[in-house]
Amino acid sequence: MGAVTLTPPLLLDRVRLQQGGRTILEDLSGSFQPGSLTALVGANGTGKTTLLRAIAGLHKLAGGRIEGGGPQRIALLPQGSQLDRGFPISCLDLVTLAAPRLGWFRGATPAQRQLALEALDRVGLAGLEGRSLQALSAGQFQRLLFARTMMQDAPVVLLDEPFTAVDTATAAHLLSVLQDWHAQGRTLIVVLHDMKLVQRHFPRTLLLTGDGHAVWGATAAVAPRLAA
Amino acid sequence: MLDLLVSPFAMGFMRRALAGCLALSVAAPPLGVFLVLRRMSLMSDVLQHGVVPGIAVGVAVAGLSLWAMGLGGLAAGLAIALIAGWLARRTGGREDSQLAGMYLLALAAGVAMISMQRSIDLTHLLFGNVLAVDDTALFGMAGVATVTLPVLALIWRPLVLESFDPGFMAATGGRGGLWHLIFLVLVVLCVVAGFVALGTLMSVGLMMLPAIAARHWSASLAGQVRVSVLLAVLASFCGLTISYHLDIPTGPAIVMTAGGLWVLSMLTGPYASLWRRAAARA
């Protein structure tokens, strides 16, 4: 995966979000600059996942607008995926299916297969391309989903609690993948709970405070609110 | 012994039934494999019950015309598939209980409507009547198979992706609902096509049982599809033979054979079978 060409920022303008008739986020404005690395934090139920889904275009806004998104530019990796691990598909096929411009009917090109193999290699699953999903551990499965996200080659990547329910070695490995994406100039928004991780690796933080408001800025500036 | 297997097919109606069932055996089980993967096994029950009122309306309007019954069944099946999908989206979750409610209602209404007409034998409609497999029924089964296979091949990739991860499909701008709908149309077509020979209550058996059994024979999707077709062909042939010799309706005979193959697969198949589990524990 090479460097990403400069893209317009992801702009949030007075965004209002509702979930089950209840307003969970009000008047959120700001922008994610191209190539920025932002941690999205807040207690459970403050709307982190809903905000990610809204940015990905999967949750209707109750007000305001979001610019610079759209399915062609955004890759979303949802949390603790409820996918069927017994589904009869191989690791290589799963990753290849995510190739942009694959279309529905043509076969994958050798170049696309090669990219899928490289993605599997990067997440530490080299040699397992022929494995079926049911033969994978939880950590390996999350690595596989990272490889699929890599395959999407999107300028904006949204990750929802990517390190939950995986072992420390896997978390460290996947964090390095995430830093690759950052170095390539992709815009990253990552939902996290581990504040140490946020303070060490994420320059910017968007904190949802739970009363419908947010604190958004450099992690150092938001940090005093994080402990609370 | 050979005579026992061959002699039933000296009869013209048995040959027609065999040809029709073999055509359905090639087309329906691959759909069943996807139904299982999409956790929609219950949906097939709903559809098979759902077509009954439609067939009854067809009889009421045009008498015992296979075309009218088929079209009525098709319309009712599609309507119930759409209503089920709409209810699931509208009320969120609890889909299984709604599906159960719908199929009970549909079956009760269908049976009541059929009984009022007296021109049609309820047992034949629900469980199949091999004598009724005329050229129209045969062309229906073969025609549905001829449409189903190429369409399934065309929607294969998006259907796989949508079955495994509808969220991913939606997030990448794919039109998941469209593939789902095309798939449901194919399922309804196969259920309706089978009703003359197998009966409305049994025609789903040829779709689901080989598909459920195939999971114990292969870990790949293509492999499961191939095995399911093979098992369905075997069940059709053996079921028709048994039905002829023991004089039982074709639907239950074929479905019992398919069910036997499923039990065998579950006990001894190479994947996730009871034998495998026991061997792994020992």
Side-chain angles (χ1 to χ4, degrees):
Chain A
M1 311 281 129
V4 175
T5 47
L6 220 62
T7 50
L10 193 59
L11 209 68
L12 273 58
D13 180 24
R14 285 165 296 151
V15 165
R16 195 156 69 90
L17 291 178
Q18 286 188 330
Q19 172 91 55
R22 193 174 62 95
T23 298
I24 50 173
L25 198 61
E26 198 121 38
D27 247 1
L28 180 66
S29 293
S31 68
F32 298 94
Q33 290 304 316
S36 61
L37 174 54
T38 310
L40 176 53
V41 298
N44 289 327
T46 49
K48 303 184 296 292
T49 298
T50 312
L51 179 57
L52 273 199
R53 288 175 52 81
I55 294 172
L58 296 175
H59 188 95
K60 233 179 116 195
L61 303 183
R65 61 200 174 94
I66 297 179
E67 270 180 27
Q72 281 76 40
R73 300 193 59 234
I74 290 184
L76 167 69
L77 178 53
Q79 138 195 35
S81 140
Q82 296 146 9
L83 303 177
D84 172 15
R85 297 265 301 279
F87 200 93
I89 189 170
S90 73
C91 294
L92 182 63
D93 283 347
L94 181 69
V95 175
T96 310
L97 272 177
R101 290 174 299 279
L102 177 61
W104 296 131
F105 310 117
R106 270 174 300 133
T109 63
Q112 283 168 329
R113 295 251 151 203
Q114 188 55 36
L115 276 177
L117 284 171
E118 282 168 19
L120 285 170
D121 184 45
R122 179 62 189 89
V123 298
L125 292 179
L128 299 187
E129 57 268 12
R131 280 270 180 101
S132 65
L133 298 189
Q134 44 202 331
L136 299 180
S137 69
Q140 287 173 324
F141 191 63
Q142 187 68 354
R143 287 170 190 251
L144 181 67
L145 293 179
F146 260 69
R148 183 173 75 165
T149 306
M150 196 181 294
M151 193 70 189
Q152 289 180 260
D153 194 23
V156 179
V157 181
L158 315 175
L159 304 166
D160 198 350
E161 300 198 26
F163 309 131
T164 317
V166 300
D167 54 285
T168 12
T170 298
H173 191 135
L174 293 181
L175 181 64
S176 79
V177 172
L178 201 149
Q179 283 164 334
D180 276 6
W181 292 340
H182 181 47
Q184 288 161 0
R186 294 176 208 280
T187 311
L188 290 160
I189 308 169
V190 187
V191 173
L192 287 170
H193 278 301
D194 182 347
M195 293 311 156
K196 277 202 204 105
L197 192 73
V198 172
Q199 299 199 345
R200 198 171 307 148
H201 298 286
F202 289 76
R204 298 187 64 80
T205 296
L206 169 53
L207 165 70
L208 305 184
T209 50
D211 51 4
H213 298 290
V215 186
W216 194 350
T219 300
V222 180
R225 296 289 302 272
L226 290 181
Chain B
M1 177 67 197
L2 193 66
D3 187 52
L4 215 60
L5 292 178
V6 174
S7 64
F9 301 104
M11 311 285 192
F13 68 92
M14 285 298 285
R15 281 203 299 276
R16 271 201 297 271
L18 180 66
C21 288
L22 289 183
L24 275 189
S25 299
V26 175
L31 300 177
V33 170
F34 276 98
L35 280 170
V36 172
L37 288 177
R38 300 169 72 91
R39 301 176 187 283
M40 282 173 59
S41 304
L42 188 61
M43 188 66 184
S44 63
D45 281 333
V46 175
L47 291 179
Q48 71 177 0
H49 292 91
V51 302
V52 179
I55 292 173
V57 170
V59 175
V61 171
L64 281 177
S65 144
L66 274 186
W67 279 105
M69 292 159 84
L71 286 176
L74 197 62
L78 288 178
I80 214 154
L82 288 178
I83 294 172
W86 178 78
L87 268 181
R89 272 197 305 278
R90 225 47 223 282
T91 54
R94 291 267 167 215
E95 192 176 1
D96 57 339
S97 52
Q98 287 161 1
L99 290 183
M102 282 172 70
Y103 86 62
L104 289 167
L105 181 60
L107 181 63
V111 168
M113 287 158 78
I114 296 281
S115 307
M116 273 156 58
Q117 311 206 6
R118 301 186 199 286
S119 64
I120 183 166
D121 185 335
L122 190 60
T123 317
H124 286 166
L125 180 66
L126 296 182
F127 300 108
N129 173 18
V130 73
L131 285 170
V133 181
D134 56 10
D135 284 346
T136 311
L138 174 58
F139 287 139
M141 291 160 109
V144 162
T146 310
V147 170
T148 298
L149 284 177
V151 172
L152 184 62
L154 275 175
I155 66 167
W156 181 273
R157 186 182 291 162
L159 190 61
V160 169
L161 194 54
E162 214 261 332
S163 304
F164 174 63
D165 192 350
F168 182 86
M169 182 78 143
T172 50
R175 300 171 57 185
L178 173 70
W179 312 113
H180 182 75
L181 190 67
I182 297 176
F183 171 70
L184 280 181
V185 171
L186 294 182
V187 173
V188 174
L189 274 174
C190 279
V191 170
V192 172
F195 90 87
V196 178
L198 299 167
T200 55
L201 290 194
M202 293 289 128
S203 78
V204 160
L206 193 59
M207 183 181 290
M208 298 309 292
L209 283 167
I212 302 168
R215 295 172 63 220
H216 297 293
W217 295 103
S218 173
S220 83
L221 184 55
Q224 289 185 7
V225 165
R226 287 188 202 108
V227 172
S228 69
V229 168
L230 207 68
L231 292 174
V233 165
L234 199 62
S236 288
F237 183 80
C238 297
L240 278 172
T241 312
I242 293 169
S243 149
Y244 178 83
H245 288 297
L246 300 185
D247 192 24
I248 49 179
T250 31
I254 290 177
V255 170
M256 271 187 356
T257 316
L261 290 170
W262 165 58
V263 171
L264 202 69
S265 307
M266 191 173 52
L267 291 175
T268 65
Y271 292 94
S273 61
L274 293 177
W275 169 68
R276 271 279 150 179
R277 297 249 160 92
R281 216 171 296 133

